Amino acid sequence: MAIDSKLKSIISRFEFPGTLSGCRELKTGHINITYALRFSQADGTARDYVLQRINNYVFKKPWEVMENVQLVTEHIRLAMIRQGINPENRVLRLVPVKGGGNMAEDGAGGYWRAYDYIVHAVTPDKAESPTQFRQIGAAFGQFQSMLSDFPIEKLHDTIPHFHDTRKRVGDFERTVALDVARRAAGVREDIGFIRSRGEAMCRIVDMLNAGELPLRVTHNDTKINNVMLDADSGEALCVIDLDTVMPGSALYDFGDAIRYGASTAAEDETDLDRVSLDMDLFAAFSEGFIASTASRLTPAELENLPLGALVMTYENALRFLADYLDGDTYYKIDYPTHNLDRARCQCKLLTDMEAKRDEMYATVARLCRRYA
């Protein structure tokens, strides 16, 4: 692609070795503007990098996001070295800005950062097999394990109350009462479903507040495509997309991965008979995650991992329904009832999880006995 002068100016701010020989925009992702860069080296080889413009509408304080990313990636890198693991291609490495720092401002309110490109890797959008999903679980488990001794007070809370379920329940009730889009009358049954589970779904927040669960570094976006897999072996290489890293509970990361990756249907499936929890995928991810964390997480965390799946599914159902009632102001939609369909899909998934709750807990308990 042709490179305009503004982009060239930004690229020149970073300490990229070699001569720029290629640039293309990457269309994956919906938050940041991303480019893949290639630099030719003096020895005839090439090195690839990722350049991103941080969306500072979503992330109001990008410097705090970048401080979190820098601290977490450095901690993981050192942990790998101590364990005899070569961190090359296995943890994101920020490219320094000339003169210091890891972020460049473009003079027009834009903030930019650059990473080494994770080479010879793929990012699937959906688990192709239980074996692959086990690798995803191992990657997010290793992420937790490597950061289990991280001093949590050093992290910025970049999105306050992100998983404060009790606050979200209160916000939901205010949304219902205001009913700005005049839609509440048509979804009374859906509202009742959310209300009937509100108190039970605040359990993780209550346990954190009571000190029964520790605060951990959490990724907060544990989708399958945020793990890079080796293109040949399928082995998990690197956890990416660290913009939402902040203090939270390990149960949130486990739970959101299950909600997204172990469902038998898309997040907006309208045929609710197709929506359920795939227990083979649940068991596979759980094994990978627990094998990597059994010696690091507390017994209370390990035994309550299935609660994370229930809470995260509930929270997403609540958020989709609230946005529908609010006139679809937060999530992008493709048609007028898109958020309502998303909410009902998550409610159906939660109902199936509730039916399989005992099996979920039994699976986790068995795996904890094996790996603890």
Side-chain angles (χ1 to χ4, degrees):
M1 62 172 279
I3 308 174
D4 64 32
S5 59
K6 290 181 181 179
L7 186 56
K8 283 183 179 178
S9 177
I10 287 298
I11 292 171
S12 71
R13 299 277 302 280
F14 290 88
E15 293 184 358
F16 294 119
T19 303
L20 181 65
S21 57
C23 175
R24 60 188 174 91
E25 186 173 356
L26 300 177
K27 297 297 186 180
T28 56
H30 304 292
I31 302 297
N32 304 308
I33 298 173
T34 306
Y35 298 92
L37 307 179
R38 171 159 289 185
F39 282 79
S40 300
Q41 308 299 302
D43 62 2
T45 62
R47 291 188 64 178
D48 296 326
Y49 300 90
V50 172
L51 177 72
Q52 285 186 326
R53 185 187 189 278
I54 302 170
N55 186 326
N56 54 327
Y57 177 79
V58 175
F59 302 106
K60 305 297 186 185
K61 298 179 179 179
W63 50 91
E64 291 188 353
V65 170
M66 292 307 296
E67 285 181 17
N68 283 0
V69 171
Q70 183 80 54
L71 288 169
V72 164
T73 53
E74 286 180 354
H75 194 92
I76 292 174
R77 185 178 302 279
L78 291 173
M80 286 184 171
I81 292 171
R82 285 195 299 270
Q83 295 179 25
I85 301 170
N86 182 356
E88 187 73 20
N89 220 42
R90 289 184 175 271
V91 61
L92 292 175
R93 189 191 76 86
L94 288 161
V95 178
V97 173
K98 294 174 181 175
N102 55 32
M103 185 174 65
E105 190 174 359
D106 61 14
Y111 296 86
W112 297 77
R113 48 130 180 260
Y115 296 107
D116 284 356
Y117 194 90
I118 305 299
V119 299
H120 201 69
V122 295
T123 52
D125 289 322
K126 181 178 175 58
E128 297 166 1
S129 68
T131 298
Q132 186 184 71
F133 204 35
R134 187 189 187 283
Q135 282 293 316
I136 303 296
F140 285 122
Q142 186 182 58
F143 180 85
Q144 280 292 327
S145 182
M146 294 282 185
L147 293 163
S148 60
D149 60 347
F150 184 91
I152 199 67
E153 67 278 1
K154 289 188 175 183
L155 280 189
H156 296 286
D157 200 4
T158 52
I159 309 177
H161 306 291
F162 190 56
H163 286 313
D164 186 340
T165 313
R166 194 166 291 285
K167 182 179 185 303
R168 287 196 180 278
V169 168
D171 291 343
F172 176 78
E173 290 296 343
R174 283 185 284 276
T175 298
V176 173
L178 289 171
D179 193 18
V180 295
R182 299 294 183 264
R183 292 172 169 177
V187 293
R188 290 297 176 192
E189 188 174 340
D190 305 278
I191 293 170
F193 182 97
I194 296 298
R195 284 174 167 165
S196 69
R197 289 155 173 82
E199 186 61 31
M201 293 297 104
C202 293
R203 178 64 179 147
I204 295 177
V205 171
D206 292 346
M207 292 176 77
L208 285 168
N209 290 337
E212 297 170 27
L213 294 174
L215 274 178
R216 301 277 188 190
V217 180
T218 44
H219 184 281
N220 292 306
D221 191 13
T222 49
K223 294 185 179 70
I224 292 171
N225 59 11
N226 280 332
V227 175
M228 307 289 285
L229 303 175
D230 185 272
D232 291 330
S233 69
E235 178 190 4
L237 293 175
C238 181
V239 172
I240 61 172
D241 197 357
L242 305 181
D243 288 345
T244 52
V245 162
M246 56 187 140
S249 169
L251 276 62
Y252 296 142
D253 278 2
F254 176 90
D256 205 31
I258 294 298
R259 176 197 72 84
Y260 187 85
S263 173
T264 57
E267 202 172 55
D268 55 359
E269 176 60 60
T270 56
D271 181 357
L272 298 184
D273 289 338
R274 299 179 63 183
V275 182
S276 64
L277 176 69
D278 185 320
M279 284 304 299
D280 288 337
L281 289 176
F282 175 86
F285 182 92
S286 298
E287 182 171 12
F289 189 89
I290 292 170
S292 298
T293 60
S295 64
R296 298 287 186 168
L297 300 186
T298 67
E301 288 175 294
L302 291 166
E303 69 185 45
N304 283 289
L305 287 174
L307 177 61
L310 294 161
V311 169
M312 292 306 300
T313 305
Y314 171 83
E315 189 175 295
N316 277 271
L318 178 154
R319 292 175 66 187
F320 286 137
L321 184 58
D323 199 35
Y324 175 75
L325 293 171
D326 211 25
D328 308 304
T329 60
Y330 185 84
Y331 295 106
K332 292 180 181 178
I333 60 169
D334 296 328
Y335 53 90
T337 61
H338 200 172
N339 273 322
L340 179 59
D341 289 339
R342 287 164 169 158
R344 287 174 172 169
C345 180
Q346 295 300 290
C347 289
K348 175 61 187 337
L349 180 59
L350 178 57
T351 300
D352 193 59
M353 287 181 177
E354 290 170 340
K356 295 170 179 173
R357 185 196 307 258
D358 290 346
E359 187 179 358
M360 292 165 68
Y361 274 92
T363 298
V364 166
R366 172 176 54 81
L367 291 168
C368 287
R369 288 193 297 271
R370 180 185 303 174
Y371 291 106

